[in-house]
Amino acid sequence: TDCNMRCWYCYEKHHKEHTMTSEILVRIYKLINTKMAEQELKKFDLAFFGGEPLMRFKSIVKPIIEHAYKLAELNKKELSIAFTTNGYLLSPRVIDFLSSLNVPLHFQITLDGNEKSHDKIRHTLNGTGSYSRILNNCKNLLLNPLARITLRCNYTSENVATFMDLLVDLEERNITPSHSLHIDFQRVWQDKGNDNEIDMHLYSIQQAFRRKGFSTSDINAQEKYRCYAERKNHIVVNYDGSLFHCTARDFTEENSEGIICDDG
């Protein structure tokens, strides 16, 4: 659950020692083995969540992906991979590895306004801004035709108007509208600003994005979907092996569905 940033609204408790051990990794391998062997299973979606999962790419993420990839090939399953990430550590090395797998990839990457607003919130622990690097990483990732990005634009009364600058910044990097990129506006739930004023700004910004051809979320739409936590095979494995149905709950013993055992 550790992270390379400390965004003020984050609900996670960041602890450096909260990192998956080799023992838990082996248990996860066994769980993957069991699931992949099920005949009725057609697709296997492997998703990484944090903290910031790319902080442990080499030691945890990459080994799990490689194991799942081998098992998917062996058992003739469709594999897809997803990340919820701030995108700062999405280096060319990471992108090259993921692209080499030739499987569908989905990333949710968060922005907090234009560069000035974003870098006030999303900076490294030593104060380095992240906006420009994240957008450049997105550009490199979108070169892979199997990659999809949801740019989650977290808005508040203070930063909502600045998202108009994002259009210019995308154009400067030649990040063009495509089915691979979706702009998702989500209000930071702790924000207490004026609702009417915020809605007015957001409507203008969404219209500007749509005129340019970008796919954006509709804040007034009632989206109908089944929560992933209701799916039969969905499970969240925490760094310590405790199990949950949902990434948006506090990872406490009271909310846990159990633990992953030695045999997976």
Side-chain angles (χ1 to χ4, degrees):
T1 63
D2 196 12
C3 188
N4 54 340
M5 299 181 187
R6 293 292 186 272
C7 306
W8 66 268
Y9 52 76
C10 184
Y11 57 79
E12 293 287 1
K13 309 294 188 297
H14 301 301
H15 300 284
K16 289 183 178 179
E17 69 275 12
H18 286 188
T19 299
M20 194 170 284
T21 64
S22 56
E23 179 187 31
I24 300 300
L25 274 178
V26 171
R27 295 182 186 185
I28 289 174
Y29 295 159
K30 291 177 180 178
L31 173 62
I32 292 174
N33 294 350
T34 301
K35 285 296 174 186
M36 288 284 195
E38 293 179 1
Q39 282 193 322
E40 65 272 22
L41 191 75
K42 305 300 180 187
K43 299 179 180 180
F44 192 97
D45 182 43
L46 182 62
F48 294 91
F49 191 83
E52 175 47 55
L54 293 178
M55 286 180 69
R56 299 291 183 269
F57 184 81
K58 185 177 180 180
S59 60
I60 298 173
V61 172
K62 189 168 182 275
I64 293 176
I65 289 176
E66 289 174 330
H67 186 83
Y69 183 80
K70 290 177 184 176
L71 267 292
E73 280 200 321
L74 183 66
N75 292 278
K76 296 180 171 54
K77 310 295 186 188
E78 295 179 34
L79 177 68
S80 59
I81 299 169
F83 288 86
T84 299
T85 171
N86 56 45
Y88 188 76
L89 299 175
L90 200 54
S91 66
R93 177 177 58 87
V94 171
I95 292 173
D96 287 346
F97 167 74
L98 293 172
S99 296
S100 72
L101 301 173
N102 200 34
V103 300
L105 306 170
H106 181 257
F107 290 78
Q108 178 176 279
I109 298 173
T110 308
L111 296 177
D112 285 83
N114 64 5
E115 185 164 14
K116 183 179 180 181
S117 295
H118 175 97
D119 286 349
K120 281 183 181 178
I121 297 171
R122 289 185 175 264
H123 52 76
T124 63
L125 297 183
N126 65 11
T128 303
S130 63
Y131 181 88
S132 182
R133 179 164 163 174
I134 290 169
L135 284 186
N136 290 335
N137 290 346
C138 288
K139 177 182 178 180
N140 292 335
L141 180 62
L142 289 170
L143 295 175
N144 178 356
L146 291 176
R148 305 284 183 271
I149 295 177
T150 296
L151 270 184
R152 182 184 169 109
C153 297
N154 284 351
Y155 65 91
T156 66
S157 54
E158 291 188 7
N159 74 7
V160 61
T162 74
F163 276 107
M164 197 68 82
D165 295 337
L166 177 59
L167 262 179
V168 177
D169 296 333
L170 292 174
E171 288 180 341
E172 285 182 352
R173 289 167 173 80
N174 199 28
I175 300 176
T176 56
S178 74
H179 70 283
S180 299
L181 179 63
H182 179 67
I183 314 295
D184 182 27
F185 291 97
Q186 296 288 340
R187 187 173 182 179
V188 175
W189 64 269
Q190 296 97 328
D191 181 55
K192 305 299 181 185
N194 183 286
D195 291 353
N196 291 332
E197 188 175 325
I198 289 174
D199 288 348
M200 180 181 67
H201 279 301
L202 192 59
Y203 178 79
S204 298
I205 291 166
Q206 286 180 314
Q207 292 305 308
F209 271 88
R210 288 170 182 169
R211 282 195 297 269
K212 292 289 186 178
F214 285 97
S215 166
T216 74
S217 58
D218 185 349
I219 60 170
N220 296 314
Q222 293 293 321
E223 296 183 33
K224 294 181 179 180
Y225 64 92
R226 184 174 294 279
C227 178
Y228 58 77
E230 289 188 343
R231 294 174 181 167
K232 176 184 174 184
N233 285 308
H234 178 85
I235 197 69
V236 178
V237 184
N238 199 15
Y239 76 93
D240 60 358
S242 55
L243 302 175
F244 298 85
H245 272 313
C246 180
T247 56
R249 301 196 73 182
D250 288 332
F251 290 163
T252 62
E253 188 174 349
E254 294 76 30
N255 289 334
S256 176
E257 303 297 328
I259 60 169
I260 186 169
C261 300
D262 288 337
D263 61 359

